[in-house]
Amino acid sequence: MAKILAVDDSASMRGMVAFTLRGAGHDVSEAENGQLAVDAAKGARFDLVLADVNMPVMDGLSMVRELRTMPEYKGVPILMLTTESHTDKKMEGKAAGATGWLVKPFDPEQLLATVKRVLG
Amino acid sequence: MGKAKTDKADGRVALPADCRIADLATVKAALEAALSAPAAVLDGGMVERVDTAALQLLAVFRREAAARGVAVEWRGASDVLRDGAARLGLTQTLELPAATPA
Amino acid sequence: MSTVSLAQFHQTFFDESHEGLDAMETALLALDGGGDKELVHGIFRAAHSIKGGAATFGFPDMAAFTHEAESLLDELRDGRRAVDAGIVELLLRSVDCLRGMFARAQAGQPLADAASEALRHELAAVVGRSLAPAAAPARRSDDASTGWAISFRPHQGMLAGGNDALRLLRELGELGELKAEAELDRLPGLGALDPSECHLGWRLELRGDVSRAAVKGVFDWVEDECDLTLEPLPGAEVHHAPAAAAPAAAAAPIAAKAAAREAVAAESSVRVGIDKIDSLINLVGELVITQSMLDTFREDFDASRLEMLQQGLAQLARHTRTLQESVMGIRMLPIASVFNRFPRMVRDLGQKLGKQVRLDLVGEQTELDKTVLEKIGDPLVHLVRNAIDHGLETPDRRRAAGKGDIGTLRLEASHRNGSIVVEISDDGAGLNREAIVAKALQRGLIASGEGMTDEAVADLIFQPGFSTAAVTTDLSGRGVGMDVVRRNVVDLGGSIQIRSVAGQGSVFTITLPLTLAIIDGLTAMVGGEHYIVPLASIVETVQLRGEQLRTVTGGGELFHFRDSWLPVLRLQDAFACGGTRRAIEQGLVVVVEGDGARVGLFVDELVGQQQAVVKSLEANYRRVIGISGATILADGSVALIVDVAGLSRQMTRRRAA
C-alpha cells in the first residue's frame, strides 16, 4: 500500500484514478489543482504523485517544479497524466522534473500497471 | 522511522528503515563521522527500502574508507539491501556478507 | 472490472463537461471583443478536459471531435493564430455540437452524426490538416535477438527526478536474464558527493528473446536523462520477427467501447459546495447536543427545571429551522446557469433579425431550487425570443422613434419577500393595444374591447393561440404561445405579470417560490378533513351572506368581489368529502388566484397557517386533479394540498362545456 496523491481539476478523472487506486489498496488523497497539491504535499509525504497538466490556478508543470524544490520530494515519482502523445509535450513535463507520464486515455488496468511499475 | 545513527566510539552506523534519496543527508553525515573512528561498523539489518542513491552513497563510503585505511564491517544486512546491491552490481564493492549474520 | 467501474463516473463527467461547455461559451462570447490570453487559456483547458474525459470514459467520437477543436485552440493559445470572428463562430458551433454529443451520450445513442463529422473536418481544415481515414502507422519490424549488451549511463539528475536506476534494472530483469556490472569510474569522494546525484553507470547483459522495443520501453521515460546504447550480444543471432511484446494500449479501445455500451443512467445530481456540507454537519452536531440535553429531562424532571426545558425546546426549534433552511440550500443553485445561455442566443437572434441588442444580466448569483431552475429555462427562452422578435425594433424604427440604435434587453433575478422574482424587460415598442384588441376580436376571445383596462388587454396575450407579429417569423416557435409560458410558470407554483407602455417597452415579471419542497399554506377543514391552500395563491378570505350569492343557470354560484363576479367552488363537492355546512354563512370563502383566474373556495373553517413539506401524490399514489400533493401534519394525519391552478382550469373547462 502506498500513499498516492491524485491531482486533476476534472472530478471524473480524479474520481476514476482515486477509485481505481483505492481498489488496489492504496491510500489516495485528491487535489483539484497544482496549488492544492503542493499544500497537501507539505503536510504529508506521498510515495507517488499523479497529476494532470492543464489545470487552473496552478498547472501540473508548475506543480512539479514546486514539489522538486522540496527536499522530501527528491526522487519521489511524479507522473503527468497527459493527452499529448507528442514528444515535445512529454519532454516539457520531464524538463520540469516529472518522472514520467501516462497518456490519456488510460483504463484502470493501465493505470495500475504503471503505478506498479513506478512503485516496484 | 529510525534515523541513521553513529556512535563515535566504535564508528557504528545504523542505516534507517527507509534508506532512500530524500533521507540521505543524515546518512551521509553519519558515514562521514564513522570515518574518524579506527573501524566502522555498518548495520543494514533494518533497511526495508533502498534505492540507487543510497547504494551509491555506501559504495562511495567503502571506497573512501579503503583509501583512508579504515576497516569496515557489516553488522547486518537486510534482504532488501542485499538484493538491491546485487541488481546494481555493487555486492562486491560493498563487500556485503552473503547472508545475514546471526 | 474496468468497464463496470468506469460507468459510475459518467454522470460526473457529463456534469462537469456541461459546466465546461458553458464556461467555454461565455469565454468565447467575451473573446468577441478581442483576444484575452487568460480567456483563451480557460477555453483550451475546458476543451482539453473534455477530450481527456471522453477518451478515458469510452466516448472516442467525442474525443476525436474535441481533439480538432483543441488543436485550433492550441494555435490561438500559442499566438500562432489570431482570434477573429470566424474562429469564434466556428468554436461556438463546436460547443453546440458537443452539447448534442453529450445529449446523445446520455441517451445511449451513437455520438457522431453527419453534422458533427462535417464540423470535425471543418476544424481540421482550419488547422491545416486533412483527415484522411487514419492509415495504420507503418510499423518497423522490430529486430529481436537472443540478447543485448547495454551501456547505461544516467545523467546526474535522473535519480532526483524519480527514476531510480534500481527500478529500471529490476524491470529489465523481468524481460530476461540480467547481469549488471557497475561502472565506478566517475564516483567522487564522500565529501564531494551530493547523494541525490547519480555518478554510477552500468554495463548490462540481457539474455533472452527480447525485442529492441521492449528494452527501449523500459527506458522510455529516461531517454533524455541517460546515455544508452544497445548492441546485440556478440555471437547472438539476429533475426527479424514481429514485436514480441504487443503494446498494452492495443487492448484499451476495446475496453473503452464496452464501457460506452454500459447503460448510462441519466440520474440527476447536484454538486454541493463543501462549505454547505460542513455547515450541515455542524448543525447536526448541535442537534445531537440539544437532543441529549433534552434527554436528561426524561428521568429527572421537576417544576424547577421547567425554564431549562423551555429553553431546550426553543433551541431545538431553532436548530430544526436552520437545518431545514440549510438542507433546502443544497438544492439551491445560482440562476446563472440559465442566464448563461442568453448572451449567445441574443447575439444569434439579433443578427438574424437585423436588430442590435445589448443584454444586461443582473442578479445571476440569485439561487433557485434545482427543480425550479430546470423548468424555468424554457419559459425564459420564450420570453427573451419574444422580446427580441416582437418587442425590440430595428435600428431604423428606433431612430424614427427617437431612440438609440441599440435596444436593451434586461434580465434581472432577485429575492423579494421570500420569493424569487425574474424580470425580463426591454425598451422596445411595448404592447400595441389596438393590435391586441383587433386580434382578440378576430379570434373571438372577446366580444368588444370597449372599457377594457390596459391590464386586461395585456392579459389577452396569455390566451391560447395568440400572436400579433405581422409576419410570423420562424423564431416564435409555432404552437407554443404565451399561454404555455404562463402554464409552465403556474405549474411551478409561480405567477407572471406584464406591464407595458406603448413606445417605451415591456416588463414581464415572473414570481417563483424559493422551493417546491416546502410551501407556506393555510390549513382549512372541509368535512372533517384537512386541506392545505398554498398561501401564495390566496388573495383574501371573506365571509359571505346568502344574499351576496347569485345562482346562474347550470347551478353555478357567483359572488361579488372587488368589482367582478367570481365563481364559488365548494371543496366538499369538488373532492366529494361530504361537508355538512351547506349554507354560505356557515363557512368561509377563500379567494384564490391560479392560472390567471380567480375563484372562491368554500371551506368549513380555517385552522391556521403552517409550513408543509410537500410529498408527491403521484409518486406514492396517482395523479389526482385538483390536488398537487400531500403533507403530514403534526399529529401524524395526512392533509392534501389544493392545486389552485388545476382546480380553476377544471372549472373553466366545465363552464366552457
Side-chain angles (χ1 to χ4, degrees):
Chain A
M1 187 206 83
K3 274 175 72 74
I4 300 177
L5 178 62
V7 192
D8 201 315
D9 56 325
S10 154
S12 58
M13 282 300 301
R14 211 173 58 232
M16 183 273 225
V17 168
F19 178 83
T20 304
L21 295 176
R22 284 187 188 121
H26 295 295
D27 175 8
V28 186
S29 300
E30 301 177 39
E32 265 181 52
N33 61 50
Q35 185 58 56
L36 294 171
V38 170
D39 293 347
K42 279 176 183 154
R45 196 156 155 186
F46 294 99
D47 300 311
L48 169 65
V49 179
L50 297 162
D52 185 25
V53 178
N54 290 290
M55 292 181 289
V57 187
M58 185 194 279
D59 68 13
L61 300 181
S62 308
M63 181 209 75
V64 177
R65 284 186 204 106
E66 191 80 14
L67 286 180
R68 288 295 185 215
T69 64
M70 297 159 63
E72 63 269 38
Y73 280 88
K74 212 174 253 178
V76 171
I78 304 176
L79 299 185
M80 308 308 296
L81 308 177
T82 172
T83 53
E84 307 297 344
S85 44
H86 308 298
T87 311
D88 53 334
K89 294 283 181 184
K90 290 176 185 168
M91 289 308 152
E92 238 181 289
K94 289 287 303 176
T99 305
W101 54 81
L102 184 54
V103 178
K104 296 179 190 176
F106 50 84
D107 63 22
E109 274 87 10
Q110 289 169 290
L111 173 64
L112 290 175
T114 306
V115 166
K116 192 157 175 261
R117 176 179 171 191
V118 180
L119 295 176
Chain B
M1 207 173 284
K3 287 269 179 210
K5 283 184 294 250
T6 323
D7 190 324
K8 260 260 160 86
D10 61 359
R12 188 185 157 106
V13 178
L15 300 175
D18 189 348
C19 196
R20 291 186 297 172
I21 188 164
D23 294 303
L24 294 182
T26 47
V27 178
K28 184 189 167 193
L31 291 172
E32 279 177 325
L35 281 180
S36 54
V41 177
L42 295 180
D43 184 353
M46 293 178 307
V47 174
E48 288 166 17
R49 312 185 78 167
V50 73
D51 64 5
T52 306
L55 291 162
Q56 173 183 255
L57 174 61
L58 292 172
V60 168
F61 169 73
R62 287 306 303 241
R63 295 210 325 172
E64 183 96 8
R68 294 201 198 179
V70 177
V72 177
E73 188 195 333
W74 281 100
R75 186 54 56 78
S78 69
D79 290 347
V80 169
L81 183 64
R82 279 186 289 115
D83 176 69
R87 284 181 187 277
L88 292 184
L90 291 172
T91 305
Q92 285 187 353
T93 308
L94 296 180
E95 294 173 49
L96 276 168
T100 315
Chain C
M1 146 212 160
S2 68
T3 53
V4 177
S5 58
L6 279 183
Q8 67 180 305
F9 299 106
H10 284 172
Q11 192 59 42
T12 313
F13 170 56
F14 294 153
D15 286 350
E16 75 194 4
S17 297
H18 282 302
E19 286 174 24
L21 287 172
D22 289 351
M24 273 174 85
E25 187 174 80
T26 308
L28 281 168
L29 290 168
L31 262 190
D32 250 355
D36 177 329
K37 210 160 175 60
E38 210 27 63
L39 284 173
V40 176
H41 274 278
I43 300 167
F44 176 86
R45 266 202 310 272
H48 187 79
S49 286
I50 292 172
K51 178 179 122 181
T56 301
F57 298 116
F59 305 106
D61 291 346
M62 189 186 289
F65 181 89
T66 321
H67 177 74
E68 299 306 332
E70 192 202 50
S71 302
L72 176 55
L73 284 164
D74 199 26
E75 294 192 351
L76 299 181
R77 191 170 66 144
D78 293 358
R80 272 178 285 158
R81 182 185 294 273
V83 177
D84 64 38
I87 297 283
V88 170
E89 190 64 42
L90 181 62
L91 289 168
L92 282 171
R93 279 196 284 136
S94 303
V95 167
D96 285 346
C97 180
L98 279 169
R99 286 205 178 105
M101 284 184 149
F102 273 107
R104 294 196 286 277
Q106 266 176 307
Q109 295 163 354
L111 268 63
D113 59 13
S116 73
E117 278 302 285
L119 192 53
R120 185 167 74 89
H121 282 82
E122 198 178 333
L123 283 164
V126 170
V127 185
R129 270 188 305 139
S130 65
L131 292 179
R139 191 201 283 268
R140 193 164 49 86
S141 102
D142 251 325
D143 47 350
S145 78
T146 51
W148 299 94
I150 303 163
S151 163
F152 173 42
R153 289 215 151 216
H155 297 168
Q156 288 189 358
M158 191 189 85
L159 302 178
N163 281 293
D164 188 356
L166 183 53
R167 190 197 86 221
L168 298 169
L169 265 50
R170 196 180 286 134
E171 271 183 60
L172 269 185
E174 283 166 13
L175 296 175
E177 192 194 325
L178 184 70
K179 244 172 64 190
E181 189 192 315
E183 294 178 325
L184 309 171
D185 54 294
R186 287 186 303 181
L187 285 181
L190 185 60
L193 176 73
D194 175 346
S196 63
E197 289 179 353
C198 188
H199 302 280
L200 287 167
W202 289 271
R203 288 184 175 285
L204 307 164
E205 255 185 46
L206 179 64
R207 293 198 175 272
D209 189 3
V210 185
S211 70
R212 179 187 288 267
V215 176
K216 285 280 207 183
V218 170
F219 295 98
D220 59 351
W221 288 343
V222 293
E223 262 176 16
D224 61 329
E225 289 185 290
C226 69
D227 297 324
L228 185 74
T229 59
L230 263 77
E231 298 286 337
L233 277 178
E237 279 176 64
V238 177
H239 59 100
H240 295 270
I254 300 159
K257 264 183 205 136
R261 279 197 298 271
E262 291 280 323
V264 183
E267 65 198 44
S268 133
S269 62
V270 182
R271 290 174 58 139
V272 181
I274 196 83
D275 52 325
K276 284 187 176 176
I277 292 184
D278 284 347
S279 95
L280 276 179
I281 292 171
N282 281 337
L283 277 168
V284 171
E286 297 277 332
L287 265 181
V288 170
I289 292 168
T290 309
Q291 188 257 331
S292 59
M293 188 267 267
L294 287 172
D295 227 27
T296 63
F297 293 104
R298 270 208 303 212
E299 288 171 6
D300 173 26
F301 183 73
D302 58 61
S304 70
R305 298 186 69 200
L306 183 63
E307 198 178 328
M308 264 189 79
L309 176 63
Q310 283 169 336
Q311 276 174 11
L313 288 172
Q315 203 173 318
L316 185 66
R318 200 165 56 243
H319 289 329
T320 309
R321 197 168 52 243
T322 321
L323 188 63
Q324 183 190 48
E325 284 163 10
S326 301
V327 171
M328 289 305 147
I330 286 184
R331 293 184 53 88
M332 304 297 273
L333 295 170
I335 200 168
S337 62
V338 174
F339 275 11
N340 282 346
R341 67 170 90 163
F342 290 118
R344 173 75 186 280
M345 204 187 100
V346 168
R347 177 177 175 275
D348 290 350
L349 273 181
Q351 277 180 2
K352 206 163 184 171
L353 295 170
K355 295 177 181 179
Q356 289 180 292
V357 188
R358 195 185 77 211
L359 177 67
D360 289 343
L361 297 175
V362 184
E364 292 157 280
Q365 289 314 310
T366 307
E367 291 192 328
L368 262 78
D369 187 279
K370 184 170 191 283
T371 312
V372 180
L373 199 65
E374 280 165 358
K375 292 183 177 159
I376 199 62
D378 288 345
L380 285 182
V381 164
H382 196 87
L383 289 172
V384 167
R385 283 184 165 178
N386 230 48
I388 299 174
D389 201 4
H390 305 316
L392 293 173
E393 317 92 325
T394 57
D396 299 350
R397 287 196 170 194
R398 289 185 67 87
R399 272 194 297 274
K403 300 191 224 179
D405 285 9
I406 303 174
T408 302
L409 180 63
R410 181 183 162 95
L411 265 75
E412 178 173 2
S414 59
H415 281 268
R416 218 179 282 171
N417 308 326
S419 297
I420 300 289
V421 176
V422 185
E423 279 191 351
I424 301 96
S425 52
D426 66 70
D427 65 348
L431 293 181
N432 183 337
R433 184 187 162 107
E434 285 69 40
I436 292 171
V437 169
K439 189 66 142 192
L441 285 170
Q442 182 200 326
R443 292 278 159 116
L445 294 171
I446 49 171
S448 152
E450 289 289 308
M452 279 183 81
T453 60
D454 283 350
E455 195 189 9
V457 171
D459 209 58
L460 286 171
I461 67 168
F462 291 112
Q463 298 298 319
F466 195 90
S467 165
T468 57
V471 183
T472 312
T473 63
D474 62 338
L475 299 170
S476 312
R478 273 163 233 240
V480 181
M482 295 296 285
D483 58 322
V484 177
V485 171
R486 171 172 276 180
R487 177 77 46 86
N488 288 341
V489 171
V490 168
D491 283 347
L492 289 172
S495 64
I496 181 166
Q497 266 93 38
I498 175 172
R499 277 178 291 128
S500 180
V501 178
Q504 286 179 29
S506 310
V507 183
F508 286 86
T509 306
I510 296 177
T511 309
L512 294 165
L514 271 177
T515 171
L516 297 179
I518 291 187
I519 59 161
D520 281 309
L522 196 62
T523 312
M525 293 292 288
V526 182
E529 287 177 30
H530 290 92
Y531 288 89
I532 291 183
V533 183
L535 219 52
S537 60
I538 296 177
V539 180
E540 198 177 321
T541 302
V542 293
Q543 180 137 38
L544 297 181
R545 293 182 305 278
E547 61 268 28
Q548 287 173 285
L549 272 191
R550 297 276 185 283
T551 306
V552 295
T553 41
E557 295 171 300
L558 297 177
F559 69 100
H560 200 241
F561 180 78
R562 295 190 195 164
D563 304 331
S564 62
W565 289 90
L566 302 183
V568 175
L569 180 67
R570 291 176 182 260
L571 285 188
Q572 62 206 69
D573 297 340
F575 298 137
C577 51
T580 47
R581 307 184 186 182
R582 298 303 309 179
I584 203 83
E585 294 88 351
Q586 287 179 310
L588 287 167
V589 172
V590 183
V591 180
V592 294
E593 183 171 335
D595 215 2
R598 285 179 175 177
V599 179
L601 301 179
F602 181 61
V603 301
D604 293 354
E605 62 179 298
L606 294 178
V607 179
Q609 199 175 315
Q610 75 164 93
Q611 281 200 327
V613 178
V614 181
K615 308 269 181 200
S616 165
L617 208 56
E618 216 169 339
N620 295 304
Y621 173 54
R622 63 180 175 84
R623 194 174 160 80
V624 179
I625 290 172
I627 300 292
S628 63
T631 192
I632 314 283
L633 296 174
D635 65 0
S637 64
V638 173
L640 297 174
I641 300 165
V642 177
D643 172 15
V644 172
L647 274 182
S648 73
R649 273 206 291 277
Q650 209 199 358
M651 273 200 89
T652 319
R653 230 170 281 141
R654 219 179 285 153
R655 266 188 296 167

